[in-house]
Amino acid sequence: MVAIAEKLSFYHLINAEQIKKKDIELICNLASKYADLSRKGSKIPHDNENLILASLFFESSTRTRFSFESAMQKLGGKIISLEQGQSSSTNKGETLSDMGRIMSCYADLIVMRHAVEGSVAEFAKYANVPVINAGDGSAHHPSQSLLDIYTILSEKKRLDNLTIGLVGDFKYGRTVSSLLTLLSYYPNNRIILISHDSLKYDINKLNMLKSLVDEVIETTDLSKYIQDLDVLYVTRIQKERFNNLLAYEKVKDNYHINQEAIKNAKKNMIIMHPLPRINEIAPEIDSLPNAKYFQQAQNGLFVRMALLNLIAKA
Ligand code: NCD
């Protein structure tokens, strides 16, 4: 048994705003215990042997779904799953609220991804077991923000006094806004938002961020700030959310992180990406010590183990 006495402050996890600093500490501490056990090849305690996780994915996923499913199994629990919403009665027109009621009869925890903003919150209203939002449209991806924070903390040993550059798609991407919410809890951070003008961060979210964070800069020019960055967080242009493919074609190759693009970066700048990547990071970067995106995906397993274990006690 991995002993953690305290409880999380939320029941369902729908957005990053629900996550308090204390929750981040609890989750990161437990995740690093799981990471240690795994590194040493020690057995993971089966603390959640009697639990069934339902994983309901109405949208594509590799890392999020498999890491949640693997996490539950490593904790001794079991999974029932729905992939791409293909075989559920939502195809027959069943509402998410009815599905929420029904799935609570069969599972002890639910993780759900859906293309429609607000859909997971709606589903959770009718579920009487904890529901984790694994991404709803362009809105939220709170478990990703936890593994991103865990990765920054384990690599940089702090979450304050950092200059963090984010690059890519802030209009449709959901990982950035969830991560920025958590980063805004820590003092003396500088946030540099680097994107094409058509993919800028929502103005209301930007103003909120500016009221919480020491310094926020919006720019189209990565080269102007690259030498200042402790963390470079790269994101994919979210092709599937564009109404107009021509608009996507115009911006899809705007930023390409290769050796040349980072030649003036600090030696210990880390490069992160929630993945999948398309062309935004060149394969030549993969073998550099700065590249942390595969480690970040691995961390996702430990963070989701911690999250499932703790949320089961909520
Ligand atoms: C992200 C997502 O689904 O929002 N992927 C993930 O969960 N690791 C990012 C993306 O798809 O670009």
PDB file of all heavy atoms in Angstrom, residues 8-10 16 19-31 145-146 149-150 153 159 179 181-183 185-186 310:
ATOM      1  N   LEU A   8      -8.010  14.539  -2.418  1.00  0.00           N
ATOM      2  CA  LEU A   8      -8.087  15.611  -3.410  1.00  0.00           C
ATOM      3  C   LEU A   8      -9.274  16.512  -3.099  1.00  0.00           C
ATOM      4  O   LEU A   8     -10.245  16.076  -2.471  1.00  0.00           O
ATOM      5  CB  LEU A   8      -8.267  15.003  -4.812  1.00  0.00           C
ATOM      6  CG  LEU A   8      -7.121  14.139  -5.322  1.00  0.00           C
ATOM      7  CD1 LEU A   8      -7.502  13.483  -6.638  1.00  0.00           C
ATOM      8  CD2 LEU A   8      -5.853  14.979  -5.489  1.00  0.00           C
ATOM      9  N   SER A   9      -9.224  17.732  -3.608  1.00  0.00           N
ATOM     10  CA  SER A   9     -10.320  18.655  -3.294  1.00  0.00           C
ATOM     11  C   SER A   9     -11.473  18.580  -4.310  1.00  0.00           C
ATOM     12  O   SER A   9     -12.432  19.298  -4.200  1.00  0.00           O
ATOM     13  CB  SER A   9      -9.790  20.084  -3.193  1.00  0.00           C
ATOM     14  OG  SER A   9      -9.192  20.438  -4.404  1.00  0.00           O
ATOM     15  N   PHE A  10     -11.348  17.697  -5.315  1.00  0.00           N
ATOM     16  CA  PHE A  10     -12.443  17.587  -6.288  1.00  0.00           C
ATOM     17  C   PHE A  10     -12.943  16.144  -6.348  1.00  0.00           C
ATOM     18  O   PHE A  10     -12.236  15.204  -5.954  1.00  0.00           O
ATOM     19  CB  PHE A  10     -11.985  18.043  -7.677  1.00  0.00           C
ATOM     20  CG  PHE A  10     -10.661  17.464  -8.114  1.00  0.00           C
ATOM     21  CD1 PHE A  10     -10.582  16.214  -8.699  1.00  0.00           C
ATOM     22  CD2 PHE A  10      -9.472  18.177  -7.928  1.00  0.00           C
ATOM     23  CE1 PHE A  10      -9.367  15.673  -9.098  1.00  0.00           C
ATOM     24  CE2 PHE A  10      -8.241  17.639  -8.320  1.00  0.00           C
ATOM     25  CZ  PHE A  10      -8.189  16.381  -8.903  1.00  0.00           C
ATOM     26  N   ALA A  16      -9.015  22.385 -15.269  1.00  0.00           N
ATOM     27  CA  ALA A  16      -7.826  22.614 -14.445  1.00  0.00           C
ATOM     28  C   ALA A  16      -8.103  23.594 -13.302  1.00  0.00           C
ATOM     29  O   ALA A  16      -7.413  23.554 -12.275  1.00  0.00           O
ATOM     30  CB  ALA A  16      -6.683  23.118 -15.323  1.00  0.00           C
ATOM     31  N   ILE A  19      -8.332  22.238  -9.849  1.00  0.00           N
ATOM     32  CA  ILE A  19      -7.140  21.661  -9.214  1.00  0.00           C
ATOM     33  C   ILE A  19      -6.469  22.735  -8.355  1.00  0.00           C
ATOM     34  O   ILE A  19      -6.128  23.804  -8.852  1.00  0.00           O
ATOM     35  CB  ILE A  19      -6.148  21.145 -10.293  1.00  0.00           C
ATOM     36  CG1 ILE A  19      -6.835  20.135 -11.217  1.00  0.00           C
ATOM     37  CG2 ILE A  19      -4.915  20.542  -9.639  1.00  0.00           C
ATOM     38  CD1 ILE A  19      -5.999  19.735 -12.445  1.00  0.00           C
ATOM     39  N   LYS A  20      -6.310  22.449  -7.071  1.00  0.00           N
ATOM     40  CA  LYS A  20      -5.645  23.400  -6.163  1.00  0.00           C
ATOM     41  C   LYS A  20      -4.156  23.030  -6.079  1.00  0.00           C
ATOM     42  O   LYS A  20      -3.782  21.902  -6.397  1.00  0.00           O
ATOM     43  CB  LYS A  20      -6.258  23.317  -4.763  1.00  0.00           C
ATOM     44  CG  LYS A  20      -7.772  23.462  -4.723  1.00  0.00           C
ATOM     45  CD  LYS A  20      -8.174  24.914  -4.581  1.00  0.00           C
ATOM     46  CE  LYS A  20      -9.660  25.135  -4.627  1.00  0.00           C
ATOM     47  NZ  LYS A  20     -10.318  24.851  -5.914  1.00  0.00           N
ATOM     48  N   LYS A  21      -3.377  23.983  -5.549  1.00  0.00           N
ATOM     49  CA  LYS A  21      -1.945  23.722  -5.379  1.00  0.00           C
ATOM     50  C   LYS A  21      -1.694  22.462  -4.551  1.00  0.00           C
ATOM     51  O   LYS A  21      -0.809  21.669  -4.837  1.00  0.00           O
ATOM     52  CB  LYS A  21      -1.319  24.911  -4.648  1.00  0.00           C
ATOM     53  CG  LYS A  21      -0.311  25.655  -5.465  1.00  0.00           C
ATOM     54  CD  LYS A  21       0.136  26.880  -4.734  1.00  0.00           C
ATOM     55  CE  LYS A  21       1.583  27.129  -4.981  1.00  0.00           C
ATOM     56  NZ  LYS A  21       2.046  28.404  -4.460  1.00  0.00           N
ATOM     57  N   LYS A  22      -2.516  22.298  -3.540  1.00  0.00           N
ATOM     58  CA  LYS A  22      -2.388  21.133  -2.651  1.00  0.00           C
ATOM     59  C   LYS A  22      -2.628  19.822  -3.432  1.00  0.00           C
ATOM     60  O   LYS A  22      -1.970  18.809  -3.189  1.00  0.00           O
ATOM     61  CB  LYS A  22      -3.429  21.287  -1.524  1.00  0.00           C
ATOM     62  CG  LYS A  22      -3.384  20.229  -0.474  1.00  0.00           C
ATOM     63  CD  LYS A  22      -4.621  20.301   0.418  1.00  0.00           C
ATOM     64  CE  LYS A  22      -5.413  19.080   0.209  1.00  0.00           C
ATOM     65  NZ  LYS A  22      -6.707  18.857   0.081  1.00  0.00           N
ATOM     66  N   ASP A  23      -3.556  19.854  -4.375  1.00  0.00           N
ATOM     67  CA  ASP A  23      -3.815  18.668  -5.200  1.00  0.00           C
ATOM     68  C   ASP A  23      -2.595  18.349  -6.069  1.00  0.00           C
ATOM     69  O   ASP A  23      -2.238  17.185  -6.247  1.00  0.00           O
ATOM     70  CB  ASP A  23      -5.029  18.890  -6.123  1.00  0.00           C
ATOM     71  CG  ASP A  23      -6.301  19.187  -5.345  1.00  0.00           C
ATOM     72  OD1 ASP A  23      -6.569  18.494  -4.354  1.00  0.00           O
ATOM     73  OD2 ASP A  23      -7.025  20.132  -5.730  1.00  0.00           O
ATOM     74  N   ILE A  24      -1.991  19.413  -6.607  1.00  0.00           N
ATOM     75  CA  ILE A  24      -0.804  19.209  -7.458  1.00  0.00           C
ATOM     76  C   ILE A  24       0.294  18.519  -6.634  1.00  0.00           C
ATOM     77  O   ILE A  24       0.935  17.570  -7.087  1.00  0.00           O
ATOM     78  CB  ILE A  24      -0.293  20.556  -8.029  1.00  0.00           C
ATOM     79  CG1 ILE A  24      -1.350  21.157  -8.946  1.00  0.00           C
ATOM     80  CG2 ILE A  24       1.036  20.387  -8.749  1.00  0.00           C
ATOM     81  CD1 ILE A  24      -1.019  22.538  -9.495  1.00  0.00           C
ATOM     82  N   GLU A  25       0.474  19.011  -5.396  1.00  0.00           N
ATOM     83  CA  GLU A  25       1.517  18.406  -4.544  1.00  0.00           C
ATOM     84  C   GLU A  25       1.217  16.939  -4.266  1.00  0.00           C
ATOM     85  O   GLU A  25       2.096  16.074  -4.383  1.00  0.00           O
ATOM     86  CB  GLU A  25       1.629  19.172  -3.213  1.00  0.00           C
ATOM     87  CG  GLU A  25       2.405  20.453  -3.371  1.00  0.00           C
ATOM     88  CD  GLU A  25       2.122  21.469  -2.268  1.00  0.00           C
ATOM     89  OE1 GLU A  25       1.726  21.059  -1.147  1.00  0.00           O
ATOM     90  OE2 GLU A  25       2.278  22.674  -2.543  1.00  0.00           O
ATOM     91  N   LEU A  26      -0.033  16.667  -3.908  1.00  0.00           N
ATOM     92  CA  LEU A  26      -0.414  15.277  -3.604  1.00  0.00           C
ATOM     93  C   LEU A  26      -0.174  14.362  -4.804  1.00  0.00           C
ATOM     94  O   LEU A  26       0.410  13.287  -4.671  1.00  0.00           O
ATOM     95  CB  LEU A  26      -1.924  15.225  -3.313  1.00  0.00           C
ATOM     96  CG  LEU A  26      -2.410  15.342  -1.889  1.00  0.00           C
ATOM     97  CD1 LEU A  26      -3.936  15.292  -1.854  1.00  0.00           C
ATOM     98  CD2 LEU A  26      -1.828  14.218  -1.051  1.00  0.00           C
ATOM     99  N   ILE A  27      -0.646  14.813  -5.962  1.00  0.00           N
ATOM    100  CA  ILE A  27      -0.551  13.980  -7.167  1.00  0.00           C
ATOM    101  C   ILE A  27       0.914  13.800  -7.577  1.00  0.00           C
ATOM    102  O   ILE A  27       1.358  12.695  -7.874  1.00  0.00           O
ATOM    103  CB  ILE A  27      -1.404  14.589  -8.305  1.00  0.00           C
ATOM    104  CG1 ILE A  27      -2.888  14.479  -7.933  1.00  0.00           C
ATOM    105  CG2 ILE A  27      -1.132  13.895  -9.639  1.00  0.00           C
ATOM    106  CD1 ILE A  27      -3.830  15.315  -8.770  1.00  0.00           C
ATOM    107  N   CYS A  28       1.676  14.898  -7.564  1.00  0.00           N
ATOM    108  CA  CYS A  28       3.084  14.799  -7.986  1.00  0.00           C
ATOM    109  C   CYS A  28       3.878  13.906  -7.021  1.00  0.00           C
ATOM    110  O   CYS A  28       4.726  13.123  -7.460  1.00  0.00           O
ATOM    111  CB  CYS A  28       3.727  16.181  -8.105  1.00  0.00           C
ATOM    112  SG  CYS A  28       3.117  17.087  -9.536  1.00  0.00           S
ATOM    113  N   ASN A  29       3.606  14.029  -5.712  1.00  0.00           N
ATOM    114  CA  ASN A  29       4.329  13.176  -4.751  1.00  0.00           C
ATOM    115  C   ASN A  29       4.043  11.706  -4.994  1.00  0.00           C
ATOM    116  O   ASN A  29       4.956  10.882  -5.008  1.00  0.00           O
ATOM    117  CB  ASN A  29       3.917  13.503  -3.301  1.00  0.00           C
ATOM    118  CG  ASN A  29       4.569  14.772  -2.829  1.00  0.00           C
ATOM    119  OD1 ASN A  29       5.569  15.198  -3.416  1.00  0.00           O
ATOM    120  ND2 ASN A  29       4.010  15.401  -1.810  1.00  0.00           N
ATOM    121  N   LEU A  30       2.782  11.397  -5.171  1.00  0.00           N
ATOM    122  CA  LEU A  30       2.432   9.986  -5.370  1.00  0.00           C
ATOM    123  C   LEU A  30       2.950   9.492  -6.725  1.00  0.00           C
ATOM    124  O   LEU A  30       3.482   8.382  -6.824  1.00  0.00           O
ATOM    125  CB  LEU A  30       0.911   9.795  -5.244  1.00  0.00           C
ATOM    126  CG  LEU A  30       0.405   8.349  -5.336  1.00  0.00           C
ATOM    127  CD1 LEU A  30       1.098   7.427  -4.326  1.00  0.00           C
ATOM    128  CD2 LEU A  30      -1.113   8.292  -5.123  1.00  0.00           C
ATOM    129  N   ALA A  31       2.844  10.338  -7.742  1.00  0.00           N
ATOM    130  CA  ALA A  31       3.355   9.948  -9.070  1.00  0.00           C
ATOM    131  C   ALA A  31       4.850   9.652  -8.991  1.00  0.00           C
ATOM    132  O   ALA A  31       5.334   8.689  -9.593  1.00  0.00           O
ATOM    133  CB  ALA A  31       3.078  11.050 -10.086  1.00  0.00           C
ATOM    134  N   SER A 145      -2.559  18.559 -18.109  1.00  0.00           N
ATOM    135  CA  SER A 145      -1.865  19.660 -17.425  1.00  0.00           C
ATOM    136  C   SER A 145      -1.133  19.146 -16.189  1.00  0.00           C
ATOM    137  O   SER A 145      -0.063  19.637 -15.841  1.00  0.00           O
ATOM    138  CB  SER A 145      -2.831  20.793 -17.068  1.00  0.00           C
ATOM    139  OG  SER A 145      -3.787  20.372 -16.114  1.00  0.00           O
ATOM    140  N   LEU A 146      -1.678  18.126 -15.535  1.00  0.00           N
ATOM    141  CA  LEU A 146      -0.993  17.559 -14.368  1.00  0.00           C
ATOM    142  C   LEU A 146       0.308  16.868 -14.772  1.00  0.00           C
ATOM    143  O   LEU A 146       1.333  17.011 -14.099  1.00  0.00           O
ATOM    144  CB  LEU A 146      -1.919  16.569 -13.648  1.00  0.00           C
ATOM    145  CG  LEU A 146      -3.040  17.219 -12.835  1.00  0.00           C
ATOM    146  CD1 LEU A 146      -4.089  16.174 -12.443  1.00  0.00           C
ATOM    147  CD2 LEU A 146      -2.484  17.903 -11.576  1.00  0.00           C
ATOM    148  N   ILE A 149       2.844  19.572 -15.693  1.00  0.00           N
ATOM    149  CA  ILE A 149       3.409  20.208 -14.495  1.00  0.00           C
ATOM    150  C   ILE A 149       4.407  19.264 -13.813  1.00  0.00           C
ATOM    151  O   ILE A 149       5.490  19.672 -13.396  1.00  0.00           O
ATOM    152  CB  ILE A 149       2.251  20.579 -13.514  1.00  0.00           C
ATOM    153  CG1 ILE A 149       1.594  21.881 -13.959  1.00  0.00           C
ATOM    154  CG2 ILE A 149       2.685  20.644 -12.072  1.00  0.00           C
ATOM    155  CD1 ILE A 149       2.383  23.142 -13.615  1.00  0.00           C
ATOM    156  N   TYR A 150       4.041  17.994 -13.739  1.00  0.00           N
ATOM    157  CA  TYR A 150       4.936  16.999 -13.126  1.00  0.00           C
ATOM    158  C   TYR A 150       6.261  16.951 -13.895  1.00  0.00           C
ATOM    159  O   TYR A 150       7.338  16.874 -13.305  1.00  0.00           O
ATOM    160  CB  TYR A 150       4.260  15.622 -13.135  1.00  0.00           C
ATOM    161  CG  TYR A 150       5.127  14.507 -12.613  1.00  0.00           C
ATOM    162  CD1 TYR A 150       5.170  14.210 -11.247  1.00  0.00           C
ATOM    163  CD2 TYR A 150       5.910  13.745 -13.479  1.00  0.00           C
ATOM    164  CE1 TYR A 150       5.983  13.181 -10.767  1.00  0.00           C
ATOM    165  CE2 TYR A 150       6.719  12.721 -13.005  1.00  0.00           C
ATOM    166  CZ  TYR A 150       6.746  12.445 -11.658  1.00  0.00           C
ATOM    167  OH  TYR A 150       7.561  11.429 -11.186  1.00  0.00           O
ATOM    168  N   LEU A 153       8.306  20.069 -13.157  1.00  0.00           N
ATOM    169  CA  LEU A 153       8.842  19.972 -11.803  1.00  0.00           C
ATOM    170  C   LEU A 153       9.978  18.956 -11.736  1.00  0.00           C
ATOM    171  O   LEU A 153      11.021  19.220 -11.130  1.00  0.00           O
ATOM    172  CB  LEU A 153       7.713  19.585 -10.834  1.00  0.00           C
ATOM    173  CG  LEU A 153       8.081  19.506  -9.360  1.00  0.00           C
ATOM    174  CD1 LEU A 153       8.574  20.858  -8.840  1.00  0.00           C
ATOM    175  CD2 LEU A 153       6.868  19.047  -8.532  1.00  0.00           C
ATOM    176  N   LEU A 159       8.536  25.232  -9.928  1.00  0.00           N
ATOM    177  CA  LEU A 159       7.435  25.653 -10.810  1.00  0.00           C
ATOM    178  C   LEU A 159       7.315  27.175 -10.820  1.00  0.00           C
ATOM    179  O   LEU A 159       6.377  27.726 -11.391  1.00  0.00           O
ATOM    180  CB  LEU A 159       6.122  25.006 -10.350  1.00  0.00           C
ATOM    181  CG  LEU A 159       6.069  23.474 -10.538  1.00  0.00           C
ATOM    182  CD1 LEU A 159       4.885  22.870  -9.796  1.00  0.00           C
ATOM    183  CD2 LEU A 159       5.990  23.120 -12.032  1.00  0.00           C
ATOM    184  N   LEU A 179      -2.732  23.908 -18.936  1.00  0.00           N
ATOM    185  CA  LEU A 179      -1.399  24.069 -18.336  1.00  0.00           C
ATOM    186  C   LEU A 179      -1.200  25.491 -17.792  1.00  0.00           C
ATOM    187  O   LEU A 179      -0.661  25.676 -16.691  1.00  0.00           O
ATOM    188  CB  LEU A 179      -0.316  23.733 -19.383  1.00  0.00           C
ATOM    189  CG  LEU A 179       1.129  24.001 -18.968  1.00  0.00           C
ATOM    190  CD1 LEU A 179       1.504  23.215 -17.715  1.00  0.00           C
ATOM    191  CD2 LEU A 179       2.095  23.657 -20.101  1.00  0.00           C
ATOM    192  N   THR A 181      -3.368  27.495 -16.651  1.00  0.00           N
ATOM    193  CA  THR A 181      -4.119  27.652 -15.398  1.00  0.00           C
ATOM    194  C   THR A 181      -3.256  27.191 -14.218  1.00  0.00           C
ATOM    195  O   THR A 181      -3.129  27.894 -13.214  1.00  0.00           O
ATOM    196  CB  THR A 181      -5.421  26.825 -15.449  1.00  0.00           C
ATOM    197  OG1 THR A 181      -6.205  27.340 -16.506  1.00  0.00           O
ATOM    198  CG2 THR A 181      -6.194  26.887 -14.142  1.00  0.00           C
ATOM    199  N   LEU A 182      -2.638  26.035 -14.344  1.00  0.00           N
ATOM    200  CA  LEU A 182      -1.821  25.536 -13.224  1.00  0.00           C
ATOM    201  C   LEU A 182      -0.555  26.372 -13.027  1.00  0.00           C
ATOM    202  O   LEU A 182      -0.168  26.665 -11.897  1.00  0.00           O
ATOM    203  CB  LEU A 182      -1.459  24.062 -13.437  1.00  0.00           C
ATOM    204  CG  LEU A 182      -2.624  23.071 -13.553  1.00  0.00           C
ATOM    205  CD1 LEU A 182      -2.110  21.632 -13.432  1.00  0.00           C
ATOM    206  CD2 LEU A 182      -3.707  23.307 -12.509  1.00  0.00           C
ATOM    207  N   LEU A 183       0.067  26.786 -14.121  1.00  0.00           N
ATOM    208  CA  LEU A 183       1.290  27.593 -13.989  1.00  0.00           C
ATOM    209  C   LEU A 183       1.016  28.927 -13.293  1.00  0.00           C
ATOM    210  O   LEU A 183       1.879  29.475 -12.622  1.00  0.00           O
ATOM    211  CB  LEU A 183       1.900  27.858 -15.368  1.00  0.00           C
ATOM    212  CG  LEU A 183       2.703  26.699 -15.974  1.00  0.00           C
ATOM    213  CD1 LEU A 183       3.080  27.022 -17.412  1.00  0.00           C
ATOM    214  CD2 LEU A 183       3.947  26.397 -15.146  1.00  0.00           C
ATOM    215  N   TYR A 185      -0.524  29.553 -10.775  1.00  0.00           N
ATOM    216  CA  TYR A 185      -0.532  29.482  -9.305  1.00  0.00           C
ATOM    217  C   TYR A 185       0.838  29.813  -8.699  1.00  0.00           C
ATOM    218  O   TYR A 185       0.960  29.996  -7.498  1.00  0.00           O
ATOM    219  CB  TYR A 185      -0.880  28.059  -8.821  1.00  0.00           C
ATOM    220  CG  TYR A 185      -2.219  27.511  -9.243  1.00  0.00           C
ATOM    221  CD1 TYR A 185      -2.491  26.155  -9.102  1.00  0.00           C
ATOM    222  CD2 TYR A 185      -3.220  28.320  -9.771  1.00  0.00           C
ATOM    223  CE1 TYR A 185      -3.713  25.616  -9.479  1.00  0.00           C
ATOM    224  CE2 TYR A 185      -4.436  27.788 -10.154  1.00  0.00           C
ATOM    225  CZ  TYR A 185      -4.680  26.443 -10.013  1.00  0.00           C
ATOM    226  OH  TYR A 185      -5.880  25.909 -10.380  1.00  0.00           O
ATOM    227  N   TYR A 186       1.878  29.832  -9.543  1.00  0.00           N
ATOM    228  CA  TYR A 186       3.243  29.921  -9.018  1.00  0.00           C
ATOM    229  C   TYR A 186       3.848  31.285  -9.372  1.00  0.00           C
ATOM    230  O   TYR A 186       3.641  31.785 -10.481  1.00  0.00           O
ATOM    231  CB  TYR A 186       4.095  28.772  -9.569  1.00  0.00           C
ATOM    232  CG  TYR A 186       3.516  27.425  -9.165  1.00  0.00           C
ATOM    233  CD1 TYR A 186       2.567  26.777  -9.962  1.00  0.00           C
ATOM    234  CD2 TYR A 186       3.856  26.840  -7.946  1.00  0.00           C
ATOM    235  CE1 TYR A 186       1.999  25.570  -9.571  1.00  0.00           C
ATOM    236  CE2 TYR A 186       3.288  25.640  -7.542  1.00  0.00           C
ATOM    237  CZ  TYR A 186       2.356  25.008  -8.359  1.00  0.00           C
ATOM    238  OH  TYR A 186       1.771  23.831  -7.964  1.00  0.00           O
ATOM    239  N   LEU A 310      -5.964   8.458  -6.128  1.00  0.00           N
ATOM    240  CA  LEU A 310      -6.446   9.489  -5.193  1.00  0.00           C
ATOM    241  C   LEU A 310      -7.911   9.830  -5.437  1.00  0.00           C
ATOM    242  O   LEU A 310      -8.665  10.067  -4.484  1.00  0.00           O
ATOM    243  CB  LEU A 310      -5.586  10.747  -5.333  1.00  0.00           C
ATOM    244  CG  LEU A 310      -4.148  10.598  -4.795  1.00  0.00           C
ATOM    245  CD1 LEU A 310      -3.271  11.723  -5.314  1.00  0.00           C
ATOM    246  CD2 LEU A 310      -4.145  10.599  -3.270  1.00  0.00           C
TER     247      LEU A 310
END
